[in-house]
Amino acid sequence: MIRQPSRHCTVELQAVPARIGHVRRIVSAQLRYWRLDALIDPAALGVTELLANVHRHARPSKQCTVELRVLLDQLTVSVHDEDPRLPRIRAADSWDTCGRGLALIAALSESWGVRPDGSGKVVWFTLPALTTAPEEICAVRGFREPPPRDDTGTAAGPRPRIRGTRVG
C-alpha cells in the first residue's frame, strides 16, 4: 500500500530482494515527481542498504515501512521494522563482504540515527533538499544554461543550510 500526501510518501513491504529493487524505483519516481532529482542516487542507495539490513537481520518478520518526508530543505528517509534490536556501525575489514551498511549511510547522509518505536525500531537518514529546480534557478538568475555541476551531479557551490529541527 502507498499513501502519498504532499511531500510525504509511505511504502509498506516485505524486505525481500525482489521487493527492494521495486522500492528503489518507487523512491526514484517519487523524488523525480518532487523535482529532487539530485537526491535520487543517494536516497536510493540509502534505502537499499536499510532494506538489506532488514532482510538480513530483522526478526521475527521482514515486514517494514519506508517513509520519505520533505520538511523545509531536508529529505528524511526512514525504515521502520518490527525488530526491537538496535543496529550499530561495525568496523568491517577490507576483505569482508558485508558490514558496511550503516557506515555507508553515515557517509552519504547529512545526519542519521536509530530510535525505538513501539515493538520495533526506526532507522533514518537525512539529505539536504533543494526545493527549486535548476531550470527555475537559471530563469531567476537570467542564465540560459543550468548552473555548473560538480562530479556528483549536484549544482556546484555551497551546500544549502538546513533550517528547522532534526527528525529523529
Side-chain angles (χ1 to χ4, degrees):
M1 173 184 1
I2 299 175
R3 289 183 298 255
Q4 199 176 343
S6 176
R7 312 292 272 189
H8 178 247
C9 178
T10 304
V11 181
E12 297 174 10
L13 71 142
Q14 287 284 328
V16 295
R19 288 312 216 169
I20 293 172
H22 183 71
V23 171
R24 193 170 44 240
R25 288 187 294 278
I26 291 171
V27 167
S28 298
Q30 187 63 53
L31 293 177
R32 202 171 291 111
Y33 177 74
W34 287 339
R35 301 179 130 204
L36 297 173
D37 296 45
L39 301 182
I40 291 172
D41 289 341
L45 178 60
V47 163
T48 301
E49 288 299 325
L50 294 181
L51 291 176
N53 282 351
V54 172
H55 174 69
R56 281 189 199 103
H57 305 293
R59 291 186 212 128
S61 168
K62 305 299 181 193
Q63 185 68 29
C64 64
T65 303
V66 174
E67 181 180 24
L68 305 174
R69 183 180 302 269
V70 178
L71 183 61
L72 300 174
D73 292 338
Q74 180 173 280
L75 169 68
T76 301
V77 179
S78 60
V79 174
H80 174 271
D81 67 49
E82 298 172 3
D83 189 339
R85 296 174 300 153
L86 302 181
R88 59 184 169 76
I89 292 182
R90 287 185 8 184
D93 289 322
S94 59
W95 57 85
D96 287 342
T97 59
C98 61
R100 294 179 183 83
L102 289 179
L104 181 63
I105 296 294
L108 72 83
S109 66
E110 191 163 79
S111 61
W112 74 279
V114 180
R115 70 177 182 273
D117 186 55
S119 63
K121 67 180 167 301
V122 175
V123 183
W124 57 270
F125 65 92
T126 63
L127 298 168
L130 295 174
T131 56
T132 306
E135 299 78 27
E136 294 172 27
I137 293 170
C138 293
V140 169
R141 293 184 181 167
F143 294 127
R144 291 187 180 166
E145 297 187 84
R149 303 245 175 216
D150 64 16
D151 56 351
T152 64
T154 57
R159 291 178 66 165
R161 290 186 50 89
I162 305 300
R163 296 184 305 271
T165 59
R166 295 267 186 229
V167 176

